[in-house]
Amino acid sequence: MALASRDGMPLIDHFMDRALDETCIEADDQLHEFDTPIDRIRFLCRVRLRQTRPYIRRWPEAAALLAQPGNVRVAMGQLSTLVSRMWYLAGDQSTQIDWHAKRSMLAAAYVASELYMCEDTSADFSATWQFLDRRIENMQGIEHTANMAQNFGNQFSRNLFNILASRGYISQ
């Protein structure tokens, strides 16, 4: 039976729920082995992607079904739950804009890796793991740049305040 009908959505939704549960169970036993949140994220992505391996040749059909307008809400809900759970398990405690940015970057990296995996013919998906590692490195670079911009903005505003206060334009 082809998944490319609306009838396939409950099956896909069930698989995604089960795969997340299994990822959390496996992670619970092994996350302590990783020192940094980004290493935990890399591990969690690999664990979750391995859940898809038995179905990978049919996964493009599932992805096409998830991308249909009537199914986008389910797809985005599943993806949102996945990346939020991964960051939580990794020990992330970010707030506000940083919280959204991290989840958006991880969602993009995860989905790109999942799609790459659909076409990967390398032994044990080694090309997918390399692809994922590059996406994780990209996330780190973007986060570093964002932190530098935030630090610059904070320093600039403090300096501007001090200059304006020293000239009597504002009172301290």
Side-chain angles (χ1 to χ4, degrees):
M1 177 178 92
L3 291 178
S5 69
R6 177 71 180 129
D7 296 340
M9 275 307 295
L11 179 62
I12 295 167
D13 196 37
H14 172 73
F15 165 76
M16 294 173 87
D17 287 339
R18 186 179 56 82
L20 179 58
D21 290 344
E22 290 177 13
T23 298
C24 292
I25 291 167
E26 185 174 339
D28 189 43
D29 294 337
Q30 298 179 39
L31 271 179
H32 68 277
E33 298 173 15
F34 301 95
D35 295 330
T36 66
I38 206 71
D39 288 338
R40 292 182 198 115
I41 287 294
R42 180 180 287 111
F43 168 73
L44 289 162
C45 285
R46 284 179 181 229
V47 170
R48 175 56 184 82
L49 287 167
R50 282 196 304 264
Q51 302 293 329
T52 308
R53 279 194 307 196
Y55 313 104
I56 199 62
R57 299 300 165 229
R58 300 288 305 269
W59 198 248
E61 292 177 63
L65 188 55
L66 288 164
Q68 290 180 3
N71 301 331
V72 169
R73 185 182 56 77
V74 171
M76 294 305 293
Q78 285 284 356
L79 184 59
S80 175
T81 300
L82 174 66
V83 298
S84 289
R85 183 80 54 89
M86 285 181 173
W87 275 115
Y88 174 79
L89 291 170
D92 179 59
Q93 297 179 357
S94 58
T95 58
Q96 298 175 350
I97 193 75
D98 192 38
W99 187 92
H100 295 287
K102 284 183 172 184
R103 278 144 184 82
S104 296
M105 288 188 296
L106 179 56
Y110 179 82
V111 169
S113 298
E114 190 174 66
L115 293 175
Y116 188 93
M117 189 177 191
C118 290
E119 298 295 321
D120 186 359
T121 58
S122 65
D124 199 32
F125 296 101
S126 62
T128 296
W129 309 138
Q130 292 170 358
F131 182 86
L132 173 64
D133 289 344
R134 289 191 301 274
R135 301 297 72 78
I136 299 293
E137 288 171 17
N138 291 349
M139 284 174 47
Q140 287 180 286
I142 292 169
E143 186 176 6
H144 176 72
T145 301
N147 287 338
M148 286 177 46
Q150 183 178 8
N151 290 340
F152 173 79
N154 290 341
Q155 187 63 41
F156 178 80
S157 62
R158 278 192 297 263
N159 289 344
L160 180 61
F161 177 83
N162 289 336
I163 290 169
L164 292 174
S166 71
R167 301 205 178 195
Y169 292 113
I170 56 176
S171 59
Q172 292 183 345

